[in-house]
């Protein structure tokens, strides 16, 4: 395999892994801040217990999120140096601002929160978890500002052979950013909510700490419904936006080869044949795609073949004749459907949960509770498929319309070096995942009890020689 | 002064801040392995840096981000050129970061011990590797006309860079020990002070050799002889005074002086570099400088406004957090990590 392919695999691997932890961090920080607010307002100790228990799980996850995030920042320079040279002027700024504005807040106030339970006044301590929550969202905002530039470059001019920033305001008002940011944040809320809901369901089934987990579940279900509905609406807005700005991505996500009839049907299932550029079988719902794309029951969409011709005319002079502008269609098509499917399932689950709660039947509905446990994975899967669709669907571009992925890679790094680092990351990630799951399960089994100090027992280190 | 020059200074400040702050928690991490007599003592030491290490690391992340934004060519050349070194830094920081959080999550001596080894290596390798990186950069690496760096083993790993890495590591260790004597009570406090007192001499010797090697193998004393000599004199003074303060049990001052030693040493590297950001060993014309590696004026202007607005707040709450956790740490209280 060549360096480009390996660098892409590494990017996919590290980003997907990193993005298991980020949404859970954002979602849980918000939920914990909410619980602690209830504690400070209602003065009910159970909410303090909740903030502490979920806080323990949060910290186990937070640690991995932070350390895998550093890889992302360094990776642009290590694997994609020509990309960094070309867009650093524009792309670097949001990254630097993210560190300055968000990471410092997160890392300082997480320290104050963890170590401050007995040292800080209640309200200051509450403020620190809210600042952590705000910090995680700000971090999301700035990294998505950078990502949105790659999806839809704005506020730049090509000078001296690179993209130079000319309008910062355009960067932060990028239409792409304002459909992407709410989508990611609401998705993150879902992740936190279904995590809390699933673990609570598991314990309610075991009839452990019923009062504690019931209260946790209520909060989770409300956030889950807000989050999943928000994700659906913002996702819909994003899709409509993409029809205008990245029609090829949407055509691939819908498996449209030829221009659609007017009104356009939506395919729920398609047997895609990329070699002959057609679908062997389609299960279509009439009118639906027109409505999804334009909010009315008319209008057609361009197919990939038409778009290929259009893109060739427009971009061949930048990237060379004969470039294939069609992304991996099957991956894009199925990622899109899986994302939407898991999203819909989450809306349904939150609604059923809230209904059962209202009827006072939640703890008795063991079938529903049993379903909530594996549903912890739904938001993680939806998040991952969402990013796969977004990033794979953008190929062959790194920066849409400006730079291809093949041109972005470091010219001075060998394939062997990249492969070696992939192996190292995979090794470390596997160990980390194992340890993390082990710790989470332990913590969950222990439940919301006051944690005893381990330092009351003196243990002699077998490696140290006495008297050193 | 041009904006790109200002950003060179700002980035220097970020890295100097990083080595000053994370320097002591690297030092504490390193010394856990031989200063602590048992796991309980090690726990006290780790908790002394508990609330700070994460924010300290952000100085590095911000420094790297600032290089990306202000000097994209510097960022691209350095990060791709030092690929394997960067990978090693990343892996060390990953291990170390989770180790703090996980070391006492299972109440089992072996479990904690394994993570404490990770903390040890994760605290020793980054300052060493970054020391190697910065000193080899100062000496010069093969950067071609197209700004890409193609370094062989000896371009990165040579006597000068290894000595540079060693010196930075020793400085961090010393800084960590004075921090421990300032932040702990009882046995650990005395033992760390006693070890720091011995270590000062080693640090001093290492610095003398480093200055000598710099004289022979780099051009920093040709480029700015007076300024560099002043810095060298100040380093000698700071390290000398740290010995004096440690001996007199003035722990706050001792910590300030070891910190000053780090600040001055790292400053000497950036002073020696300027206005270059990376030195080409092939041809002077291929050097990356603050002028040919920087972002456009508009971008720098925006970044300057943002930095000037946010930095006071960052410094404000950083100081607040050190104020909140100003007390000495001992095994008599609740230990979080």
């Amino acid at each position: 395999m060549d360096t480009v392919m390996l660098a892409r695999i590494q990017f996919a691997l590290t980003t997907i892994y990193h993005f298991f932890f980020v949404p859970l961090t954002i979602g849980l920080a918000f939920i914990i801040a909410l619980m602690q607010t209830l504690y400070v307002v209602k003065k009910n100790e159970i909410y303090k217990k909740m903030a502490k228990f979920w806080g323990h799980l949060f910290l186990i996850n937070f640690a991995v999120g932070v350390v895998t995030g550093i890889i992302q920042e360094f990776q642009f320079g290590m694997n994609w140096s020509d990309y960094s040279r070309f867009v650093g002027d524009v792309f670097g700024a949001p990254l630097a601002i993210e560190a300055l504005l968000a990471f410092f807040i997160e890392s300082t106030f997480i320290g104050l929160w963890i170590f401050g339970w007995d040292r800080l006044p209640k309200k200051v301590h509450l403020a620190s978890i809210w600042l952590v929550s705000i910090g995680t969202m700000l971090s999301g905002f700035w990294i998505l500002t950078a990502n949105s530039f790659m999806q839809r470059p704005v506020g730049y001019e090509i000078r001296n052979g690179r993209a130079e920033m000319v309008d910062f305001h355009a960067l932060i008002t990028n239409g792409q950013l304002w459909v992407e940011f709410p989508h990611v944040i609401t998705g993150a809320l879902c992740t936190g909510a279904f995590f809390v809901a699933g673990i609570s369901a598991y314990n309610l089934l075991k009839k452990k700490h019923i009062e504690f987990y019931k209260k946790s579940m209520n909060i989770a279900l409300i956030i889950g419904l807000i989050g999943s509905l928000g994700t659906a609406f913002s996702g819909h807005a994003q899709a409509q936006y993409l029809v205008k700005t990245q029609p090829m991505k949407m055509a691939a996500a819908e498996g449209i080869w030829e221009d659609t009839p007017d009104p356009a049907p939506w395919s729920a299932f398609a047997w895609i044949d990329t070699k002959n550029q057609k679908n062997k079988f389609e299960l279509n719902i009439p009118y639906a795609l027109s409505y999804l794309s334009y909010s009315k029951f008319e209008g057609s969409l361009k197919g990939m073949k038409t778009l290929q011709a259009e893109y060739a005319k427009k971009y061949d002079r930048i990237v060379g004749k004969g470039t294939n502008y069609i992304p991996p269609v099957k991956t894009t098509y199925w990622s899109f459907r899986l994302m939407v499917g898991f999203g819909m399932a989450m809306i349904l689950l939150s609604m059923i949960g809230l209904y059962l709660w209202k009827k006072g039947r939640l703890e008795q509905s063991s079938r529903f509770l049993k379903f909530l446990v594996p549903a912890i994975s739904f938001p993680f899967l939806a998040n991952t498929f969402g990013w796969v669709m977004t990033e794979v669907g953008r190929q062959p571009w790194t920066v849409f319309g400006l730079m291809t992925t093949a041109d972005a890679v470091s010219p001075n790094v060998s394939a062997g070096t990249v492969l070696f680092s992939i192996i190292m990351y995979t090794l470390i990630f596997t160990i980390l995942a194992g340890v993390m799951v082990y710790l989470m399960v332990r913590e969950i089994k222990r439940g919301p009890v006051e944690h005893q100090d381990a330092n009351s027992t003196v243990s002699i280190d077998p490696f140290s020689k006495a008297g050193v | 002064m041009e904006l790109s020059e200002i950003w060179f200074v700002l980035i220097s400040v970020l890295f100097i801040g990083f080595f000053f702050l994370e320097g002591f928690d690297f030092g504490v991490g390193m010394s856990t392995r031989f200063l602590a007599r048992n796991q309980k003592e090690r726990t006290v030491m780790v908790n002394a840096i508990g609330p700070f290490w994460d924010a300290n690391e952000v100085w590095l992340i911000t420094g790297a981000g600032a290089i990306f934004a202000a000097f994209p060519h510097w960022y691209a050349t350095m990060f791709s050129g030092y690929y394997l070194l960067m990978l090693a830094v990343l892996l060390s920081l990953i291990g170390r970061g989770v180790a703090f959080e996980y070391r006492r999550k299972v109440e089992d001596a072996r479990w904690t011990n394994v993570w404490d080894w990770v903390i040890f290596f994760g605290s020793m390798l980054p300052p060493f590797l970054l020391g190697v990186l910065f000193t080899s950069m100062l000496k010069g690496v093969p950067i071609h006309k197209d700004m890409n760096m193609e370094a062989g083993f000896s371009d990165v790993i040579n006597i000068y860079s290894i000595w540079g890495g060693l010196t930075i590591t020793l400085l961090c260790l010393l800084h960590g020990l004075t921090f421990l004597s300032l932040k702990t009570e009882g046995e650990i406090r005395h033992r760390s002070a006693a070890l720091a007192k011995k270590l000062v001499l080693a640090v001093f010797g290492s610095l003398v050799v480093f200055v000598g090697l710099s004289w022979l193998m780099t051009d920093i004393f040709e480029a700015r002889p007076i300024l560099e000599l002043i810095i060298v004199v100040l380093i000698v003074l700071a390290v000398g005074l740290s010995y004096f303060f440690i001996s007199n049990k003035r722990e706050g001052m001792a910590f300030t002086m070891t910190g000053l030693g780090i600040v001055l040493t790292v400053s000497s590297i950036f002073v020696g570099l300027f206005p270059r950001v990376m030195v080409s060993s092939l041809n002077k014309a291929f050097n990356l400088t603050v002028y040919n590696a920087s972002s456009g004026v508009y971008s720098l202007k925006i970044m300057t406004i943002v930095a000037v607005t946010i930095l006071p707040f960052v410094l404000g709450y950083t100081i607040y957090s050190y104020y909140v956790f100003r007390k000495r740490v001992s095994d008599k209280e609740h230990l979080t990590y």
Side-chain angles (χ1 to χ4, degrees), chain A residues 74-204:
Chain A
F74 281 33
Q75 192 171 182
F76 290 114
M78 289 166 73
N79 286 344
W80 307 101
S81 67
D82 272 358
Y83 168 78
S84 303
R85 289 182 206 282
F86 183 64
V87 295
D89 196 302
V90 195
F91 187 85
L95 251 60
I97 296 172
E98 184 192 16
L100 208 58
L101 188 63
F103 291 163
F104 272 119
I105 292 182
E106 278 177 69
S107 59
T108 308
F109 287 97
I110 197 79
L112 281 159
W113 188 71
I114 301 172
F115 289 82
W117 279 101
D118 316 316
R119 289 186 183 85
L120 290 172
K122 255 187 202 171
K123 285 191 179 152
V124 179
H125 190 247
L126 175 66
S128 35
I129 188 71
W130 274 115
L131 281 163
V132 171
S133 170
I134 292 167
T136 59
M137 292 189 190
L138 279 175
S139 174
F141 178 82
W142 289 106
I143 198 67
L144 292 178
T145 304
N147 182 267
S148 295
F149 174 80
M150 299 169 81
Q151 308 288 345
R152 178 172 177 258
V154 290
Y156 72 96
E157 257 174 34
I158 300 290
R159 288 184 203 146
N160 313 316
R162 64 177 190 183
E164 291 197 354
M165 199 201 292
V166 291
D167 188 355
F168 183 68
H169 189 249
L171 272 184
I172 53 175
T173 52
N174 192 345
Q176 172 68 28
L177 172 64
W178 287 97
V179 290
E180 204 171 311
F181 178 61
H183 194 55
V184 170
I185 293 295
T186 46
L189 291 179
C190 287
T191 314
F194 276 82
F195 182 80
V196 173
I199 292 166
S200 302
Y202 175 81
N203 284 288
L204 287 175

Side-chain angles (χ1 to χ4, degrees), chain B residues 144-300:
Chain B
H144 296 267
K145 196 172 180 226
D146 64 358
M147 289 188 169
N148 278 310
M149 164 179 164
E150 312 242 14
F153 182 78
S154 62
D155 294 313
V156 179
I157 310 287
N158 48 58
I159 296 173
Y160 183 63
S161 71
I162 288 184
W163 201 268
L166 197 75
T167 307
I168 296 282
T169 315
L170 284 176
L171 272 166
C172 289
L173 179 58
L174 177 65
H175 194 38
L177 289 171
T178 53
F179 179 79
L180 276 176
S181 73
L182 177 67
K183 288 292 289 184
T184 58
E185 280 178 359
E187 273 282 288
I188 303 175
R189 177 181 176 186
H190 297 304
R191 242 182 286 138
S192 51
L195 188 60
K197 207 170 149 185
K198 282 185 209 156
L199 193 70
V200 173
L201 296 173
V203 169
F204 200 83
S206 167
L207 278 167
V208 169
V209 175
F210 182 60
V211 170
L213 287 174
S214 302
W215 190 284
L216 291 171
M217 301 178 83
T218 72
D219 60 2
I220 61 171
F221 288 99
E222 290 161 43
R224 274 189 199 79
I226 298 168
L227 196 52
E228 289 287 0
L229 279 173
I230 291 173
I231 294 176
V232 168
V233 170
L234 288 175
I235 294 175
V236 170
L237 247 138
V239 175
L241 278 172
S242 75
Y243 184 80
F244 171 79
F245 287 123
I246 295 166
S247 306
N248 289 299
K249 301 208 164 40
R250 306 252 326 255
E251 288 139 348
M253 285 307 288
F255 175 69
T256 312
M257 287 304 139
T258 52
L260 206 58
I262 292 186
V263 167
L264 288 162
T265 308
V266 180
S267 307
S268 75
I269 293 174
F270 281 99
V271 168
L273 273 177
F274 186 83
R276 304 161 299 180
V277 290
M278 287 191 83
V279 181
S280 172
S281 58
L282 302 177
N283 188 333
K284 267 187 183 173
F286 303 159
N287 285 344
L288 300 193
T289 67
V290 294
Y291 310 108
N292 69 14
S294 81
S295 284
V297 175
Y298 177 83
S299 202
L300 292 173

Side-chain angles (χ1 to χ4, degrees), chain A residues 321-365:
Chain A
K321 255 196 156 73
T323 307
N324 176 20
Y325 297 97
I326 299 176
V329 183
K330 280 187 231 169
T331 313
T332 314
Y333 180 89
W334 285 112
S335 301
F336 186 41
R337 265 148 199 76
L338 285 163
M339 172 187 76
V340 173
F342 283 115
M344 292 294 166
M346 288 191 277
I347 297 177
L348 203 67
L349 283 173
S350 339
M351 281 180 167
I352 296 172
L354 285 171
Y355 172 79
L356 290 171
W357 174 41
K358 195 103 201 208
K359 292 267 164 192
R361 294 209 315 255
L362 190 61
E363 319 145 57
Q364 293 92 322
S365 320

Side-chain angles (χ1 to χ4, degrees), chain A residues 428-466:
Chain A
I428 291 269
F429 288 174
T430 313
I431 296 171
L432 281 185
V435 171
M436 208 201 73
V437 170
Y438 170 71
L439 285 177
M440 286 253 183
V441 169
R442 248 182 80 92
E443 204 74 35
I444 292 162
K445 278 191 180 156
R446 183 149 64 169
V449 287
E450 277 301 312
H451 289 261
Q452 287 197 330
D453 291 345
N455 53 306
S456 53
T457 53
V458 183
S459 44
I460 300 297
D461 176 16
F463 280 81
S464 79
K465 289 177 222 136

